[in-house]
Amino acid sequence: MSQTIFTFALVGNPNSGKSTLFNHLTGLRQHVGNFPGVTVEKKKGPAELSDGQKVYIIDLPGTYSLHPTSGDERIVTGILSNPGDPNYPDAIIYVADLNNLEKHLLLFTQILDLQIPVILVLNMLDLAMESGLEVDTNYLSAQFGVPVVAVSSRNGMQIETLDAEMIILSAAQTRIDRKAFFKAEDKISAIVHEVQSSLEVEQHYLAKIYLHHGAWLPFLSMQEKEKIAQIVKDSGFKDLPAQIEETLDRFDRFEPIARKALKVKARSAGKKSFSQKVDQVVTNPIIGPFLFFALMVLVFQAIFDWSSYPMDWIEQFFTHLSELIRTYLPAGWFNDLLTDGLIAGLGGILVFVPQIAILFLLISILEESGYMARAVFLFDRPMKSVGMNGRSLVALISGGACAIPAIMATRTITNWKERLITILVLPFISCSARIPVYTVLIALVIPSKRILGFLNLQGLVFMGLYLLGIVAALLSAWVLKTLLKTKERSYLMIELPAYQMPVWRNVGLNIWSKVWAFVAGAGKIIILFSIVLWFLASYGPSEAMQTATETAQKEASTANLDASASADLLASYKIEASYAGQMGHFIEPAIRPLGFDWKIGIALITSFAAREIFIASIATIYSVGSHADNDITLRQRMALETRADNGQPVFTVASGMSLLIFYVLAMQCMSTLAVVKRETRTWKWPILQFLFMTGLAYLGSWVTWGLLG
């Protein structure tokens, strides 16, 4: 084995509490990456057992079976069937929901057949105890021949028992090459003979399993796999009937075991659970959608109301920091780079961390409580009417964080057409990188007043932008549904977990990981672009810069301006003559019908690298363009900006809403295009996606400016 530290893989069905157990075992030490060669997210982290031994924990994607039908399931199957894979574990911790044990044992029995050491963890013990459910772990252990532990990953109940079993397993397990079991030529011949015999008599179960799983059976060499695959091809073996037969046979074997191991107290039998009672309301086809909409209203109201004070504190901090550096460092290019470039750019982004944290706080609570699974179920039929399905909703909600991992999440959608439609419309969903743009512009052009005494108008506009993106996504999906043709049928298989209080440790970890990913990911780009843009806005062709200087000095002298006003006039002339100014003026004719000036044009160009760059670009341009009032915030500086031709404010309700509509509808992220290309394996779809979204954004912005301007 390639690992030097014993590695456990967490395997189980979705909603089994696997990720909660992973967080409990690894805590803040986990790190997130991608499996080699694919874009499916992988979580891996070290854990220390009670005897001091350090082990690694890998959280594999949730799957229902080793008969893969989606990208995530193929990843799990590929890893567990290939001992040479760098993520191949020394042992498996199989996590099953104790309250739905029979449904979770199909994958478990398939794992047993792989001959990898396993610990069966029966999770959600606390909920089982509340409902009067008891389990005989000793009986299950004797029947399956593996250690069985009942735990609650939510509150840590019986985790020490799991720790003890992990110590025993890691100490006893030797890292042998398991292909040795099948190296003998006579053994291989026997397997092939069994397979061939099964084709004739159709009764040898083991041979059918070899045949069905021959393409990925663990521990066989490539030549051996190819030999079995050739037999499959020559025989005309039907995959689906064998899979159904295998599944039914497994259920026949483990269902009696599960029923005998579980007992329900008499007083609890026949009673509806708390979750069942709540679902009568939450999943009601009439009440459910209204409840979902009301929750979304509360989410967006909270984003604006709760974040106002911390945002003001962060904004004031960076304003004072910039002023201190400008005061105490020697004047010159380095001083300007720090204050007008780096601090202006980073401050323009970090000020929005409170809003992003609040967004993920509320979304995490909805996920942890079990509500999101109900939303998937509730909207499956409406989503199908526009060419997607309930699982598309998970991807669309994930798009509220970032389109890139959301596009990766579509791998759980088995239907090709529905997955492609979801990928193509997903960038319409407003991601966290758009929050800075929305927040600044809404605060600038929409008055802060209350509607009905408790609704914030700015919060309503903020939610309206999200709804516009959702409507655009759904309408575009409906159009694609009519254009794309396929005979493949889709289905939704989802388990509704019991309602439960959120695990606040998980909520905190999720907020931290999402905020850090935003800050670290955006920070790298912002630092680079802030430096580049500061240079482009501060320097230009020598002749043009000289002319700008002379013109400004002449006008200042004629108007008898003081030193501060003269410096401000000089800065405005020089930025127009700079490289950045020339770029902005070059595209200004194309964006003037939308109500944008050349400075906004610069930000539009740079923000194609990442949407959040828009605010950093505006902050840099306006900082370079004026030094008359260094102690005012970005929003105050933007409010003072006027048009050169008529002296009217640049940012009005008309221009602000036009810009907001553009950012809702436009494809403004090159990384998203790259991921779409990777997932669809062609440039055709990302190119069409970019042209359609950009054209729609231009049209929407033009109409908005025409109506309000």
Side-chain angles (χ1 to χ4, degrees):
M1 299 293 295
S2 59
Q3 296 108 335
T4 57
I5 300 179
F6 199 91
T7 300
F8 290 92
L10 290 177
V11 181
N13 292 181
N15 296 319
S16 62
K18 186 166 53 68
S19 296
T20 303
L21 181 59
F22 175 76
N23 289 338
H24 191 98
L25 294 173
T26 62
L28 292 172
R29 294 166 295 181
Q30 61 190 257
H31 61 272
V32 178
N34 289 334
F35 288 105
V38 296
T39 53
V40 175
E41 187 179 87
K42 171 186 67 178
K43 287 185 178 179
K44 182 176 182 180
E48 185 172 333
L49 304 181
S50 58
D51 67 345
Q53 179 186 182
K54 292 183 179 179
V55 297
Y56 273 121
I57 311 291
I58 298 177
D59 186 15
L60 295 181
T63 180
Y64 291 102
S65 168
L66 290 184
H67 298 286
T69 58
S70 67
D72 280 1
E73 292 180 342
R74 290 187 184 94
I75 292 300
V76 177
T77 299
I79 290 173
L80 298 183
S81 66
N82 182 14
D85 190 285
N87 295 291
Y88 187 79
D90 295 301
I92 288 175
I93 298 175
Y94 186 85
V95 184
D97 181 358
L98 176 55
N99 303 275
N100 295 283
L101 185 57
E102 291 181 15
K103 299 176 183 178
H104 287 238
L105 288 181
L106 172 62
L107 175 61
F108 170 69
T109 59
Q110 291 176 333
I111 296 293
L112 286 180
D113 287 349
L114 300 183
Q115 303 179 40
I116 307 174
V118 183
I119 300 174
L120 175 58
V121 173
L122 306 178
N123 197 15
M124 304 188 188
L125 177 60
D126 54 335
L127 297 180
M129 294 173 65
E130 289 175 9
S131 61
L133 185 64
E134 296 178 343
V135 60
D136 188 342
T137 56
N138 293 328
Y139 174 74
L140 288 175
S141 180
Q143 291 296 313
F144 292 124
V146 299
V148 180
V149 181
V151 307
S152 171
S153 59
R154 296 178 66 248
N155 56 26
M157 185 186 301
Q158 296 285 7
I159 291 295
E160 66 278 1
T161 307
L162 173 60
D163 179 273
E165 294 294 348
M166 292 171 68
I167 292 173
I168 294 172
L169 191 59
S170 60
Q173 181 63 25
T174 56
R175 296 176 177 82
I176 62 174
D177 183 357
R178 292 187 169 270
K179 288 170 67 176
F181 286 110
F182 294 107
K183 275 189 174 179
E185 202 51 49
D186 57 344
K187 183 64 177 176
I188 296 300
S189 300
I191 293 173
V192 174
H193 176 70
E194 287 177 349
V195 172
Q196 291 172 327
S197 300
S198 71
L199 295 175
E200 298 171 2
V201 299
E202 288 293 335
Q203 63 182 3
H204 198 301
Y205 175 78
L206 181 62
K208 291 180 183 179
I209 298 303
Y210 279 131
L211 177 59
H212 184 59
H213 299 311
W216 56 265
L217 188 69
F219 324 130
L220 292 179
S221 69
M222 185 57 66
Q223 292 79 9
E224 294 156 2
K225 291 181 181 180
E226 290 174 354
K227 184 182 292 187
I228 295 179
Q230 188 62 44
I231 294 174
V232 174
K233 181 179 179 181
D234 295 342
S235 68
F237 183 80
K238 300 299 182 182
D239 182 86
L240 185 58
Q243 179 180 335
I244 294 172
E245 184 178 347
E246 176 204 342
T247 301
L248 292 176
D249 184 81
R250 288 183 184 276
F251 269 94
D252 287 341
R253 287 187 292 149
F254 65 66
E255 273 187 335
I257 297 174
R259 289 172 183 170
K260 189 172 181 179
L262 297 175
K263 295 180 180 179
V264 181
K265 292 181 180 178
R267 59 185 175 87
S268 301
K271 284 188 175 182
K272 282 188 176 182
S273 67
F274 172 77
S275 295
Q276 290 173 325
K277 294 177 182 177
V278 174
D279 279 342
Q280 289 180 328
V281 176
V282 172
T283 61
N284 183 283
I286 297 176
I287 301 175
F290 282 102
L291 178 61
F292 179 82
F293 182 77
L295 286 173
M296 293 302 103
V297 171
L298 292 176
V299 166
F300 293 113
Q301 287 295 307
I303 288 174
F304 256 87
D305 285 347
W306 297 356
S307 64
S308 58
Y309 287 112
M311 287 181 68
D312 289 342
W313 298 334
I314 295 173
E315 195 170 49
Q316 291 169 9
F317 169 78
F318 278 99
T319 300
H320 294 322
L321 179 61
S322 179
E323 185 62 25
L324 283 174
I325 292 176
R326 193 180 299 280
T327 301
Y328 291 103
L329 277 184
W333 69 268
F334 185 69
N335 188 313
D336 292 342
L337 173 62
L338 287 179
T339 55
D340 300 338
L342 293 178
I343 293 178
L346 284 175
I349 291 301
L350 294 180
V351 69
F352 303 103
V353 165
Q355 287 190 325
I356 294 170
I358 291 170
L359 172 65
F360 288 117
L361 166 67
L362 299 175
I363 294 298
S364 296
I365 290 174
L366 293 177
E367 289 177 344
E368 284 279 320
S369 66
Y371 177 77
M372 280 303 184
R374 272 74 183 178
V376 170
F377 168 77
L378 187 65
F379 287 98
D380 180 56
R381 183 172 295 179
M383 296 294 279
K384 274 187 169 62
S385 67
V386 294
M388 297 183 283
N389 69 26
R391 292 196 182 279
S392 300
L393 183 67
V394 176
L396 296 178
I397 292 174
S398 299
C402 178
I404 294 173
I407 289 172
M408 299 175 193
T410 62
R411 287 178 171 236
T412 61
I413 302 173
T414 58
N415 183 282
W416 168 83
K417 177 180 176 180
E418 292 175 346
R419 181 174 181 237
L420 179 61
I421 291 175
T422 306
I423 288 174
L424 294 179
V425 305
L426 223 159
F428 281 118
I429 304 301
S430 295
C431 64
S432 58
R434 284 175 167 135
I435 290 179
V437 183
Y438 293 174
T439 303
V440 165
L441 293 176
I442 289 174
L444 201 60
V445 302
I446 303 298
S448 179
K449 63 180 183 180
R450 296 283 170 178
I451 305 295
L452 301 177
F454 68 98
L455 295 176
N456 187 313
L457 178 60
Q458 293 178 335
L460 290 176
V461 173
F462 189 79
M463 188 186 73
L465 297 175
Y466 270 79
L467 290 178
L468 175 62
I470 293 170
V471 170
L474 296 179
L475 291 177
S476 300
W478 180 80
V479 172
L480 290 169
K481 176 189 175 183
T482 60
L483 296 177
L484 299 175
K485 305 297 181 182
T486 180
K487 294 182 180 179
E488 185 180 3
R489 299 185 66 181
S490 69
Y491 60 90
L492 175 68
M493 183 173 66
I494 186 171
E495 185 176 311
L496 300 182
Y499 288 106
Q500 52 193 322
M501 282 294 294
V503 181
W504 298 111
R505 177 188 179 90
N506 287 354
V507 173
L509 285 171
N510 190 44
I511 295 172
W512 169 258
S513 64
K514 299 298 186 184
V515 170
W516 176 248
F518 174 80
V519 172
K524 297 173 186 176
I525 302 174
I526 289 168
I527 289 174
L528 174 62
F529 270 80
S530 294
I531 293 173
V532 172
L533 190 57
W534 171 82
F535 175 81
L536 293 176
S538 299
Y539 299 93
S542 56
E543 184 175 340
M545 296 295 281
Q546 180 63 32
T547 301
T549 301
E550 293 174 355
T551 303
Q553 290 175 344
K554 183 177 179 180
E555 288 189 12
S557 177
T558 302
N560 197 26
L561 300 178
D562 58 23
S564 177
S566 298
D568 191 39
L569 182 65
L570 176 61
S572 64
Y573 269 102
K574 290 181 72 173
I575 193 173
E576 284 203 55
S578 68
Y579 296 116
Q582 294 185 21
M583 286 170 48
H585 282 296
F586 178 76
I587 69 167
E588 190 173 26
I591 61 175
R592 190 180 296 118
L594 310 182
F596 307 157
D597 68 354
W598 61 273
K599 292 184 180 180
I600 295 175
I602 297 172
L604 288 177
I605 294 174
T606 57
S607 65
F608 184 61
R611 295 173 182 88
E612 60 268 32
I613 292 295
F614 176 85
I615 297 301
S617 299
I618 288 291
T620 300
I621 292 167
Y622 288 172
S623 294
V624 172
S626 173
H627 295 306
D629 295 297
N630 294 316
D631 59 344
I632 65 175
T633 65
L634 173 62
R635 280 177 285 184
Q636 292 170 329
R637 195 182 299 277
M638 292 172 70
L640 296 173
E641 190 71 12
T642 57
R643 300 181 185 274
D645 54 350
N646 57 19
Q648 295 297 313
V650 170
F651 294 98
T652 61
V653 172
S655 63
M657 289 304 302
S658 174
L659 191 53
L660 285 168
I661 297 301
F662 187 89
Y663 267 91
V664 169
L665 302 176
M667 168 65 78
Q668 284 291 119
C669 179
M670 64 176 67
S671 299
T672 301
L673 285 176
V675 171
V676 172
K677 188 269 176 186
R678 186 171 183 177
E679 293 296 310
T680 59
R681 300 182 181 180
T682 176
W683 276 110
K684 178 180 76 171
W685 296 115
I687 289 174
L688 290 174
Q689 184 184 40
F690 174 78
L691 294 176
F692 173 72
M693 293 186 67
T694 303
L696 185 63
Y698 192 95
L699 177 62
S701 186
W702 178 74
V703 170
T704 302
W705 173 252
L707 292 175
L708 300 179

